[in-house]
Structure formats: C-alpha cells, structure tokens
Short mmCIF file of all heavy atoms in Angstrom, two decimals:
data_model
loop_
_atom_site.label_atom_id
_atom_site.label_comp_id
_atom_site.label_asym_id
_atom_site.label_seq_id
_atom_site.Cartn_x
_atom_site.Cartn_y
_atom_site.Cartn_z
N ARG A 1 0.82 -1.23 -0.02
CA ARG A 1 0.06 0.04 0.07
C ARG A 1 0.75 1.23 0.00
O ARG A 1 0.38 2.31 0.19
CB ARG A 1 -0.92 -0.02 1.19
CG ARG A 1 -2.03 -1.09 1.09
CD ARG A 1 -2.94 -1.11 2.17
NE ARG A 1 -3.75 -0.04 2.02
CZ ARG A 1 -4.63 0.38 2.87
NH1 ARG A 1 -4.89 -0.38 4.08
NH2 ARG A 1 -5.41 1.44 2.73
N ALA A 2 2.16 1.10 -0.19
CA ALA A 2 3.08 2.30 -0.30
C ALA A 2 2.66 3.35 -1.27
O ALA A 2 2.63 4.50 -1.09
CB ALA A 2 4.44 1.92 -0.38
N PRO A 3 2.19 2.84 -2.45
CA PRO A 3 1.76 3.92 -3.53
C PRO A 3 0.53 4.70 -3.02
O PRO A 3 0.43 5.83 -3.36
CB PRO A 3 1.50 2.98 -4.71
CG PRO A 3 2.33 1.91 -4.59
CD PRO A 3 2.27 1.52 -3.12
N GLU A 4 -0.38 3.98 -2.36
CA GLU A 4 -1.59 4.71 -1.81
C GLU A 4 -1.17 5.76 -0.77
O GLU A 4 -1.65 6.82 -0.84
CB GLU A 4 -2.50 3.65 -1.17
CG GLU A 4 -3.77 4.20 -0.61
CD GLU A 4 -4.53 3.19 0.14
OE1 GLU A 4 -4.46 1.92 -0.26
OE2 GLU A 4 -5.47 3.66 0.84
N LEU A 5 -0.21 5.42 0.02
CA LEU A 5 0.20 6.36 1.07
C LEU A 5 0.91 7.56 0.37
O LEU A 5 0.60 8.70 0.80
CB LEU A 5 1.27 5.69 1.97
CG LEU A 5 2.04 6.58 3.07
CD1 LEU A 5 0.98 7.28 3.92
CD2 LEU A 5 3.05 5.84 3.74
N ALA A 6 1.74 7.32 -0.58
CA ALA A 6 2.34 8.39 -1.35
C ALA A 6 1.41 9.31 -2.17
O ALA A 6 1.59 10.56 -1.97
CB ALA A 6 3.34 7.87 -2.40
N ASP A 7 0.40 8.73 -2.60
CA ASP A 7 -0.62 9.50 -3.31
C ASP A 7 -1.38 10.43 -2.26
O ASP A 7 -1.76 11.49 -2.44
CB ASP A 7 -1.67 8.58 -4.02
CG ASP A 7 -1.16 7.88 -5.27
OD1 ASP A 7 -0.06 8.49 -5.79
OD2 ASP A 7 -1.73 7.00 -5.77
N ALA A 8 -1.71 9.80 -1.08
CA ALA A 8 -2.50 10.63 -0.01
C ALA A 8 -1.65 11.72 0.39
O ALA A 8 -2.16 12.81 0.61
CB ALA A 8 -2.74 9.66 1.08
N LEU A 9 -0.32 11.49 0.62
CA LEU A 9 0.55 12.62 1.01
C LEU A 9 0.77 13.71 0.00
O LEU A 9 0.70 14.87 0.36
CB LEU A 9 1.94 12.09 1.41
CG LEU A 9 2.08 11.34 2.74
CD1 LEU A 9 3.52 10.64 2.87
CD2 LEU A 9 1.89 12.41 3.90
N ARG A 10 0.75 13.25 -1.28
CA ARG A 10 0.80 14.24 -2.31
C ARG A 10 -0.38 15.08 -2.43
O ARG A 10 -0.32 16.26 -2.46
CB ARG A 10 1.02 13.48 -3.61
CG ARG A 10 1.55 14.39 -4.76
CD ARG A 10 1.87 13.56 -6.12
NE ARG A 10 1.51 12.24 -6.18
CZ ARG A 10 2.31 11.11 -5.88
NH1 ARG A 10 3.52 11.31 -5.53
NH2 ARG A 10 1.84 9.87 -6.10
N ALA A 11 -1.56 14.39 -2.22
CA ALA A 11 -2.90 15.15 -2.27
C ALA A 11 -2.95 16.06 -1.12
O ALA A 11 -3.54 17.20 -1.24
CB ALA A 11 -4.06 14.15 -2.21
N LEU A 12 -2.25 15.83 0.00
CA LEU A 12 -2.44 16.70 1.18
C LEU A 12 -1.30 17.77 1.18
O LEU A 12 -1.09 18.63 2.13
CB LEU A 12 -2.26 15.83 2.42
CG LEU A 12 -3.46 15.03 2.68
CD1 LEU A 12 -3.19 14.03 3.80
CD2 LEU A 12 -4.67 15.80 3.07
N GLY A 13 -0.37 17.61 0.21
CA GLY A 13 0.70 18.68 0.11
C GLY A 13 1.83 18.29 1.09
O GLY A 13 2.65 19.12 1.44
N GLY A 14 1.96 17.06 1.55
CA GLY A 14 2.97 16.64 2.51
C GLY A 14 4.23 16.18 1.91
O GLY A 14 5.23 15.87 2.65
N GLY A 15 4.46 16.25 0.62
CA GLY A 15 5.74 15.88 -0.07
C GLY A 15 5.78 14.29 -0.08
O GLY A 15 4.91 13.53 0.37
N PRO A 16 6.95 13.83 -0.48
CA PRO A 16 7.16 12.42 -0.62
C PRO A 16 7.19 11.69 0.79
O PRO A 16 7.74 12.34 1.72
CB PRO A 16 8.44 12.25 -1.29
CG PRO A 16 9.13 13.40 -1.14
CD PRO A 16 8.08 14.63 -0.87
N PRO A 17 6.80 10.56 0.91
CA PRO A 17 6.89 9.78 2.20
C PRO A 17 8.35 9.39 2.57
O PRO A 17 9.08 9.14 1.58
CB PRO A 17 6.07 8.59 2.11
CG PRO A 17 5.99 8.27 0.55
CD PRO A 17 6.14 9.63 -0.05
N ARG A 18 8.74 9.36 3.77
CA ARG A 18 10.04 8.92 4.21
C ARG A 18 9.69 7.74 5.14
O ARG A 18 9.61 7.78 6.30
CB ARG A 18 10.75 9.97 5.03
CG ARG A 18 11.04 11.20 4.16
CD ARG A 18 11.76 12.31 4.91
NE ARG A 18 10.69 12.86 5.87
CZ ARG A 18 10.16 14.03 5.71
NH1 ARG A 18 10.39 14.81 4.68
NH2 ARG A 18 9.35 14.56 6.67
N MET A 19 9.67 6.58 4.35
CA MET A 19 9.43 5.26 5.07
C MET A 19 10.65 4.65 5.58
O MET A 19 11.68 4.45 4.92
CB MET A 19 8.81 4.31 4.01
CG MET A 19 7.47 4.91 3.38
SD MET A 19 6.89 3.81 2.24
CE MET A 19 5.99 4.97 1.17
N LEU A 20 10.74 4.46 6.96
CA LEU A 20 11.84 3.94 7.56
C LEU A 20 11.80 2.43 7.63
O LEU A 20 12.84 1.81 7.97
CB LEU A 20 11.89 4.55 8.97
CG LEU A 20 12.08 5.94 9.07
CD1 LEU A 20 12.13 6.41 10.53
CD2 LEU A 20 13.23 6.50 8.16
N GLY A 21 10.68 1.90 7.23
CA GLY A 21 10.62 0.30 6.94
C GLY A 21 10.59 -0.42 8.22
O GLY A 21 10.80 -1.59 8.25
N TYR A 22 10.11 -0.02 9.24
CA TYR A 22 9.79 -0.82 10.33
C TYR A 22 8.51 -1.48 10.21
O TYR A 22 7.56 -0.92 9.73
CB TYR A 22 9.77 0.10 11.82
CG TYR A 22 11.24 0.45 12.11
CD1 TYR A 22 11.57 1.80 11.84
CD2 TYR A 22 12.14 -0.36 12.59
CE1 TYR A 22 12.88 2.29 12.19
CE2 TYR A 22 13.36 0.06 12.87
CZ TYR A 22 13.72 1.37 12.64
OH TYR A 22 15.05 1.81 12.97
N GLY A 23 8.29 -2.65 10.87
CA GLY A 23 6.99 -3.34 10.96
C GLY A 23 5.93 -2.62 11.74
O GLY A 23 6.33 -2.01 12.62
N ASP A 24 4.77 -2.84 11.31
CA ASP A 24 3.58 -2.28 12.11
C ASP A 24 2.93 -3.35 12.71
O ASP A 24 2.52 -4.49 12.16
CB ASP A 24 2.73 -1.51 10.99
CG ASP A 24 1.57 -0.82 11.62
OD1 ASP A 24 1.11 -1.23 12.63
OD2 ASP A 24 1.17 0.17 10.98
N THR A 25 2.57 -3.23 13.98
CA THR A 25 2.01 -4.32 14.78
C THR A 25 0.65 -4.70 14.21
O THR A 25 0.24 -5.78 14.08
CB THR A 25 1.72 -3.81 16.16
OG1 THR A 25 2.97 -3.44 16.68
CG2 THR A 25 1.17 -4.70 17.09
N ARG A 26 -0.30 -3.75 13.77
CA ARG A 26 -1.58 -4.03 13.20
C ARG A 26 -1.48 -4.42 11.79
O ARG A 26 -2.56 -4.88 11.25
CB ARG A 26 -2.48 -2.86 13.49
CG ARG A 26 -2.77 -2.50 15.04
CD ARG A 26 -3.59 -1.42 15.17
NE ARG A 26 -3.71 -1.12 16.57
CZ ARG A 26 -4.34 -0.02 16.98
NH1 ARG A 26 -4.98 0.76 16.09
NH2 ARG A 26 -4.38 0.19 18.27
N ASN A 27 -0.46 -4.09 11.13
CA ASN A 27 -0.50 -4.38 9.61
C ASN A 27 0.82 -5.22 9.18
O ASN A 27 1.74 -4.50 8.78
CB ASN A 27 -0.53 -3.09 8.81
CG ASN A 27 -0.74 -3.32 7.30
OD1 ASN A 27 -0.55 -4.50 6.84
ND2 ASN A 27 -0.86 -2.32 6.64
N PRO A 28 0.85 -6.47 9.31
CA PRO A 28 2.14 -7.12 9.06
C PRO A 28 2.62 -6.95 7.68
O PRO A 28 3.90 -7.09 7.47
CB PRO A 28 1.81 -8.59 9.29
CG PRO A 28 0.37 -8.72 9.92
CD PRO A 28 -0.16 -7.35 9.70
N GLN A 29 1.80 -6.71 6.71
CA GLN A 29 2.22 -6.42 5.37
C GLN A 29 2.82 -5.11 5.11
O GLN A 29 3.43 -4.76 4.00
CB GLN A 29 1.05 -6.51 4.35
CG GLN A 29 0.70 -7.92 4.10
CD GLN A 29 -0.04 -8.72 5.12
OE1 GLN A 29 -0.76 -8.08 5.95
NE2 GLN A 29 0.30 -9.97 5.43
N ALA A 30 2.91 -4.23 6.17
CA ALA A 30 3.45 -2.90 6.03
C ALA A 30 5.05 -2.97 5.72
O ALA A 30 5.52 -2.22 5.15
CB ALA A 30 3.20 -2.06 7.34
N SER A 31 5.65 -3.99 6.32
CA SER A 31 6.98 -4.10 6.15
C SER A 31 7.44 -5.58 6.50
O SER A 31 8.04 -5.85 7.52
CB SER A 31 7.80 -3.16 7.14
OG SER A 31 9.09 -2.96 6.62
N PRO A 32 7.17 -6.49 5.56
CA PRO A 32 7.37 -7.84 5.89
C PRO A 32 8.85 -8.11 6.17
O PRO A 32 9.69 -7.75 5.53
CB PRO A 32 6.90 -8.67 4.65
CG PRO A 32 6.25 -7.63 3.72
CD PRO A 32 6.67 -6.23 4.19
N GLY A 33 9.13 -8.90 7.22
CA GLY A 33 10.42 -9.45 7.50
C GLY A 33 11.30 -8.49 8.21
O GLY A 33 12.43 -8.63 8.66
N ARG A 34 10.77 -7.30 8.55
CA ARG A 34 11.44 -6.27 9.31
C ARG A 34 10.95 -6.26 10.78
O ARG A 34 9.84 -6.58 11.07
CB ARG A 34 11.25 -4.81 8.75
CG ARG A 34 11.85 -4.59 7.40
CD ARG A 34 13.31 -4.49 7.34
NE ARG A 34 13.90 -3.69 8.31
CZ ARG A 34 14.25 -2.40 8.19
NH1 ARG A 34 14.11 -1.90 7.06
NH2 ARG A 34 14.78 -1.73 9.32
N PRO A 35 11.86 -5.78 11.76
CA PRO A 35 11.35 -5.77 13.16
C PRO A 35 10.22 -4.66 13.30
O PRO A 35 10.20 -3.62 12.53
CB PRO A 35 12.53 -5.37 13.88
CG PRO A 35 13.47 -4.64 12.90
CD PRO A 35 13.11 -5.28 11.57
N ARG A 36 9.33 -4.88 14.21
CA ARG A 36 8.26 -3.94 14.41
C ARG A 36 8.93 -2.67 15.12
O ARG A 36 9.87 -2.87 15.83
CB ARG A 36 7.17 -4.53 15.47
CG ARG A 36 6.43 -5.67 14.93
CD ARG A 36 5.39 -6.22 15.81
NE ARG A 36 5.92 -6.32 17.23
CZ ARG A 36 5.25 -6.46 18.27
NH1 ARG A 36 3.91 -6.46 18.31
NH2 ARG A 36 5.80 -6.58 19.49
N LEU A 37 8.30 -1.53 14.84
CA LEU A 37 8.86 -0.30 15.46
C LEU A 37 8.91 -0.40 16.90
O LEU A 37 9.83 0.03 17.56
CB LEU A 37 7.88 0.87 15.09
CG LEU A 37 8.34 2.13 15.62
CD1 LEU A 37 9.68 2.69 15.20
CD2 LEU A 37 7.32 3.30 15.19
N ILE A 38 7.78 -0.95 17.51
CA ILE A 38 7.87 -1.12 19.08
C ILE A 38 8.96 -1.99 19.56
O ILE A 38 9.36 -1.77 20.74
CB ILE A 38 6.54 -1.57 19.57
CG1 ILE A 38 6.30 -1.31 21.03
CG2 ILE A 38 6.23 -3.06 19.21
CD1 ILE A 38 5.02 -1.30 21.59
N ASP A 39 9.52 -2.89 18.73
CA ASP A 39 10.64 -3.77 19.10
C ASP A 39 11.95 -3.35 18.78
O ASP A 39 13.02 -3.89 19.21
CB ASP A 39 10.44 -5.27 18.53
CG ASP A 39 9.10 -5.73 18.96
OD1 ASP A 39 8.65 -5.63 20.19
OD2 ASP A 39 8.45 -6.66 18.21
N ALA A 40 12.06 -2.23 17.98
CA ALA A 40 13.39 -1.75 17.59
C ALA A 40 14.07 -1.04 18.67
O ALA A 40 13.47 -0.43 19.62
CB ALA A 40 13.15 -0.86 16.46
N LEU A 41 15.37 -1.06 18.60
CA LEU A 41 16.24 -0.33 19.59
C LEU A 41 16.00 1.12 19.40
O LEU A 41 16.00 1.72 18.23
CB LEU A 41 17.74 -0.62 19.38
CG LEU A 41 18.15 -2.11 19.64
CD1 LEU A 41 19.50 -2.37 19.24
CD2 LEU A 41 17.87 -2.54 21.08
N LEU A 42 15.80 1.88 20.58
CA LEU A 42 15.51 3.32 20.52
C LEU A 42 16.56 4.12 19.77
O LEU A 42 16.33 4.82 19.03
CB LEU A 42 15.42 3.80 21.91
CG LEU A 42 15.10 5.28 22.14
CD1 LEU A 42 13.75 5.65 21.34
CD2 LEU A 42 15.06 5.71 23.51
N ASP A 43 17.97 3.72 20.01
CA ASP A 43 19.05 4.54 19.38
C ASP A 43 18.92 4.30 17.83
O ASP A 43 19.17 5.23 17.18
CB ASP A 43 20.34 4.05 19.85
CG ASP A 43 20.65 4.48 21.35
OD1 ASP A 43 19.93 5.37 21.93
OD2 ASP A 43 21.54 4.01 22.02
#
C-alpha cells in the first residue's frame, strides 16, 4: 500500500513519504520481515 500512502501525502501537500521500513503491529504487510517499530532499539 506504499503507492496509496504516497498518493495521499501528495494530495495533502505533504511531500514524498520517508518510510523507515519498520514493521507495524496491526499491519504485518506494512514491512514484511522487518522488526516492528515497538521492538526496535531506541537508538
């Protein structure tokens, strides 16, 4: 769904998305194979 997110940001004037690639707890397809943001090291 990354293209959908980019389109929404463009429509809102937010510029291109800066996706850091962490997994999302509620949406496993957001970043398959990557650690969830909540589990990543703070630093």
Side-chain angles (χ1 to χ4, degrees):
R1 295 185 67 189
E4 181 182 340
L5 173 64
D7 288 345
L9 282 171
R10 195 172 16 264
L12 294 170
R18 293 179 292 261
M19 299 179 209
L20 299 182
Y22 292 103
D24 187 326
T25 302
R26 295 182 184 171
N27 183 1
Q29 282 72 37
S31 195
R34 294 289 315 263
R36 297 181 314 162
L37 177 62
I38 195 164
D39 297 329
L41 298 173
L42 179 61
D43 290 343

